[in-house]
Amino acid sequence: MSRAPRPDGLVIAIDGPSGAGKSTAGRVLAERLGYTFLDTGAMYRALALKALRGRVRLDDEGALGDLARHSLIELTEGGRGVRLDGSDVSAAIRTRDVSAAASRVSAHPQVRRQMVARQQEMGRRGGVVLDGRDIGTAVFPDADVKFYVDADPRRRAVRRQEELAAAGTIADLDAIEQEIRDRDHADTTRPDSPLTRASDAILIDSSDVGVEDVVERMLAIIRERSG
Ligand code: DC
């Protein structure tokens, strides 16, 4: 089956667990290619924030599906920021509470169906780098290049701790590592599109390499693939 042409360039999928450095690498990669970066996790985070604020139960799939239908979630500034119903929530979605809530909200098929459709629409013309959990498996199974970025949980916890510190929150490393492991467990075992490496995704272990090196490896592979 042939797919519609992508006039604006390739679709590049980056999946992997939280804290592996996907979004930083994805953002730099998109800049280098002149592509749009889409942080799909920010969409689930924005919905989770709205659910927390509105006291919608995180296990109420119907209510969350309705909430998603009535929410305007926009990725702004080349995918760096996110707006919820017109307000900038880029900082508000980065708390630990929202991380945990986003993982729960994203498990519901009614929520996923809507987010996936919006992501497919945003990436339809190509020229995009999408960062998420199910990009290469569910959103764009026919992505031109797929990466799966992984790293040791302790390294991921250290990175997360640094991010939180930069935002003014001091947090215990063991507690962060446990939260990361809990979230990995929830994201990889949910019945609807669990986090998994697509068979044709290229594995990049970012445990011992910096963002620049990850991006260089990605660029080399993209060049090789696109001739
Ligand atoms: O990448 P992140 O940490 O911002 O994602 C927050 C949560 O959203 C994560 O626990 C899993 C979920 N998510 C998802 O299910 N599918 C995506 N494409 C992106 C994120």
Side-chain angles (χ1 to χ4, degrees), residues 68-82:
R69 255 183 296 282
H70 297 106
S71 298
L72 179 63
I73 296 172
E74 300 163 290
L75 298 177
T76 59
E77 301 161 46
R80 267 172 218 277
V82 60

PDB file of all heavy atoms in Angstrom, residues 68-82:
ATOM      1  N   ALA A  68     -10.641  15.487  26.916  1.00  0.00           N
ATOM      2  CA  ALA A  68      -9.737  15.614  25.766  1.00  0.00           C
ATOM      3  C   ALA A  68     -10.475  16.241  24.577  1.00  0.00           C
ATOM      4  O   ALA A  68      -9.949  17.124  23.894  1.00  0.00           O
ATOM      5  CB  ALA A  68      -9.171  14.245  25.381  1.00  0.00           C
ATOM      6  N   ARG A  69     -11.721  15.800  24.359  1.00  0.00           N
ATOM      7  CA  ARG A  69     -12.515  16.322  23.241  1.00  0.00           C
ATOM      8  C   ARG A  69     -12.751  17.821  23.369  1.00  0.00           C
ATOM      9  O   ARG A  69     -12.880  18.535  22.395  1.00  0.00           O
ATOM     10  CB  ARG A  69     -13.877  15.607  23.182  1.00  0.00           C
ATOM     11  CG  ARG A  69     -13.974  14.585  22.056  1.00  0.00           C
ATOM     12  CD  ARG A  69     -15.367  13.957  21.988  1.00  0.00           C
ATOM     13  NE  ARG A  69     -15.671  13.187  23.192  1.00  0.00           N
ATOM     14  CZ  ARG A  69     -15.210  11.967  23.446  1.00  0.00           C
ATOM     15  NH1 ARG A  69     -14.434  11.355  22.565  1.00  0.00           N
ATOM     16  NH2 ARG A  69     -15.524  11.339  24.552  1.00  0.00           N
ATOM     17  N   HIS A  70     -12.835  18.288  24.622  1.00  0.00           N
ATOM     18  CA  HIS A  70     -13.133  19.698  24.852  1.00  0.00           C
ATOM     19  C   HIS A  70     -11.907  20.510  25.243  1.00  0.00           C
ATOM     20  O   HIS A  70     -12.037  21.557  25.882  1.00  0.00           O
ATOM     21  CB  HIS A  70     -14.247  19.823  25.906  1.00  0.00           C
ATOM     22  CG  HIS A  70     -15.533  19.209  25.440  1.00  0.00           C
ATOM     23  ND1 HIS A  70     -16.004  18.014  25.925  1.00  0.00           N
ATOM     24  CD2 HIS A  70     -16.394  19.599  24.482  1.00  0.00           C
ATOM     25  CE1 HIS A  70     -17.125  17.704  25.282  1.00  0.00           C
ATOM     26  NE2 HIS A  70     -17.384  18.649  24.411  1.00  0.00           N
ATOM     27  N   SER A  71     -10.734  20.009  24.891  1.00  0.00           N
ATOM     28  CA  SER A  71      -9.508  20.731  25.237  1.00  0.00           C
ATOM     29  C   SER A  71      -8.768  21.136  23.979  1.00  0.00           C
ATOM     30  O   SER A  71      -8.644  20.352  23.040  1.00  0.00           O
ATOM     31  CB  SER A  71      -8.567  19.835  26.051  1.00  0.00           C
ATOM     32  OG  SER A  71      -9.184  19.463  27.245  1.00  0.00           O
ATOM     33  N   LEU A  72      -8.263  22.363  24.003  1.00  0.00           N
ATOM     34  CA  LEU A  72      -7.423  22.820  22.907  1.00  0.00           C
ATOM     35  C   LEU A  72      -5.971  22.719  23.389  1.00  0.00           C
ATOM     36  O   LEU A  72      -5.577  23.433  24.307  1.00  0.00           O
ATOM     37  CB  LEU A  72      -7.784  24.267  22.546  1.00  0.00           C
ATOM     38  CG  LEU A  72      -6.957  24.901  21.427  1.00  0.00           C
ATOM     39  CD1 LEU A  72      -7.151  24.150  20.112  1.00  0.00           C
ATOM     40  CD2 LEU A  72      -7.339  26.365  21.253  1.00  0.00           C
ATOM     41  N   ILE A  73      -5.248  21.770  22.818  1.00  0.00           N
ATOM     42  CA  ILE A  73      -3.854  21.570  23.230  1.00  0.00           C
ATOM     43  C   ILE A  73      -2.970  21.882  22.029  1.00  0.00           C
ATOM     44  O   ILE A  73      -3.071  21.235  20.988  1.00  0.00           O
ATOM     45  CB  ILE A  73      -3.629  20.122  23.721  1.00  0.00           C
ATOM     46  CG1 ILE A  73      -4.483  19.867  24.978  1.00  0.00           C
ATOM     47  CG2 ILE A  73      -2.144  19.871  24.014  1.00  0.00           C
ATOM     48  CD1 ILE A  73      -4.501  18.431  25.451  1.00  0.00           C
ATOM     49  N   GLU A  74      -2.152  22.922  22.185  1.00  0.00           N
ATOM     50  CA  GLU A  74      -1.323  23.350  21.055  1.00  0.00           C
ATOM     51  C   GLU A  74       0.152  23.313  21.433  1.00  0.00           C
ATOM     52  O   GLU A  74       0.537  23.808  22.484  1.00  0.00           O
ATOM     53  CB  GLU A  74      -1.661  24.800  20.683  1.00  0.00           C
ATOM     54  CG  GLU A  74      -3.099  25.010  20.277  1.00  0.00           C
ATOM     55  CD  GLU A  74      -3.457  26.490  20.340  1.00  0.00           C
ATOM     56  OE1 GLU A  74      -3.546  27.044  21.453  1.00  0.00           O
ATOM     57  OE2 GLU A  74      -3.633  27.075  19.256  1.00  0.00           O
ATOM     58  N   LEU A  75       0.951  22.728  20.566  1.00  0.00           N
ATOM     59  CA  LEU A  75       2.399  22.743  20.770  1.00  0.00           C
ATOM     60  C   LEU A  75       2.907  24.007  20.093  1.00  0.00           C
ATOM     61  O   LEU A  75       2.584  24.264  18.930  1.00  0.00           O
ATOM     62  CB  LEU A  75       3.040  21.492  20.167  1.00  0.00           C
ATOM     63  CG  LEU A  75       2.584  20.169  20.798  1.00  0.00           C
ATOM     64  CD1 LEU A  75       3.219  18.987  20.083  1.00  0.00           C
ATOM     65  CD2 LEU A  75       2.897  20.123  22.283  1.00  0.00           C
ATOM     66  N   THR A  76       3.658  24.809  20.846  1.00  0.00           N
ATOM     67  CA  THR A  76       4.079  26.113  20.327  1.00  0.00           C
ATOM     68  C   THR A  76       5.595  26.189  20.210  1.00  0.00           C
ATOM     69  O   THR A  76       6.301  25.250  20.574  1.00  0.00           O
ATOM     70  CB  THR A  76       3.612  27.225  21.277  1.00  0.00           C
ATOM     71  OG1 THR A  76       4.191  26.970  22.555  1.00  0.00           O
ATOM     72  CG2 THR A  76       2.103  27.240  21.413  1.00  0.00           C
ATOM     73  N   GLU A  77       6.084  27.315  19.766  1.00  0.00           N
ATOM     74  CA  GLU A  77       7.529  27.604  19.686  1.00  0.00           C
ATOM     75  C   GLU A  77       8.306  26.420  19.118  1.00  0.00           C
ATOM     76  O   GLU A  77       9.225  25.927  19.759  1.00  0.00           O
ATOM     77  CB  GLU A  77       8.093  27.929  21.072  1.00  0.00           C
ATOM     78  CG  GLU A  77       7.449  29.104  21.758  1.00  0.00           C
ATOM     79  CD  GLU A  77       7.713  29.064  23.253  1.00  0.00           C
ATOM     80  OE1 GLU A  77       8.856  28.824  23.642  1.00  0.00           O
ATOM     81  OE2 GLU A  77       6.759  29.247  24.015  1.00  0.00           O
ATOM     82  N   GLY A  78       7.888  25.955  17.980  1.00  0.00           N
ATOM     83  CA  GLY A  78       8.583  24.829  17.356  1.00  0.00           C
ATOM     84  C   GLY A  78       8.528  23.581  18.215  1.00  0.00           C
ATOM     85  O   GLY A  78       9.433  22.764  18.192  1.00  0.00           O
ATOM     86  N   GLY A  79       7.459  23.441  18.981  1.00  0.00           N
ATOM     87  CA  GLY A  79       7.292  22.241  19.792  1.00  0.00           C
ATOM     88  C   GLY A  79       7.910  22.325  21.177  1.00  0.00           C
ATOM     89  O   GLY A  79       7.899  21.379  21.929  1.00  0.00           O
ATOM     90  N   ARG A  80       8.434  23.480  21.533  1.00  0.00           N
ATOM     91  CA  ARG A  80       9.067  23.633  22.842  1.00  0.00           C
ATOM     92  C   ARG A  80       8.045  23.840  23.946  1.00  0.00           C
ATOM     93  O   ARG A  80       8.195  23.345  25.051  1.00  0.00           O
ATOM     94  CB  ARG A  80       9.942  24.883  22.853  1.00  0.00           C
ATOM     95  CG  ARG A  80      11.346  24.639  22.506  1.00  0.00           C
ATOM     96  CD  ARG A  80      12.028  26.002  22.377  1.00  0.00           C
ATOM     97  NE  ARG A  80      12.968  25.970  21.290  1.00  0.00           N
ATOM     98  CZ  ARG A  80      14.192  25.499  21.410  1.00  0.00           C
ATOM     99  NH1 ARG A  80      14.623  25.042  22.542  1.00  0.00           N
ATOM    100  NH2 ARG A  80      15.006  25.480  20.382  1.00  0.00           N
ATOM    101  N   GLY A  81       7.041  24.647  23.642  1.00  0.00           N
ATOM    102  CA  GLY A  81       6.060  24.995  24.665  1.00  0.00           C
ATOM    103  C   GLY A  81       4.720  24.347  24.382  1.00  0.00           C
ATOM    104  O   GLY A  81       4.517  23.744  23.320  1.00  0.00           O
ATOM    105  N   VAL A  82       3.822  24.433  25.343  1.00  0.00           N
ATOM    106  CA  VAL A  82       2.486  23.899  25.116  1.00  0.00           C
ATOM    107  C   VAL A  82       1.459  24.855  25.715  1.00  0.00           C
ATOM    108  O   VAL A  82       1.670  25.440  26.774  1.00  0.00           O
ATOM    109  CB  VAL A  82       2.354  22.449  25.664  1.00  0.00           C
ATOM    110  CG1 VAL A  82       2.612  22.378  27.147  1.00  0.00           C
ATOM    111  CG2 VAL A  82       0.991  21.852  25.356  1.00  0.00           C
TER     112      VAL A  82
END
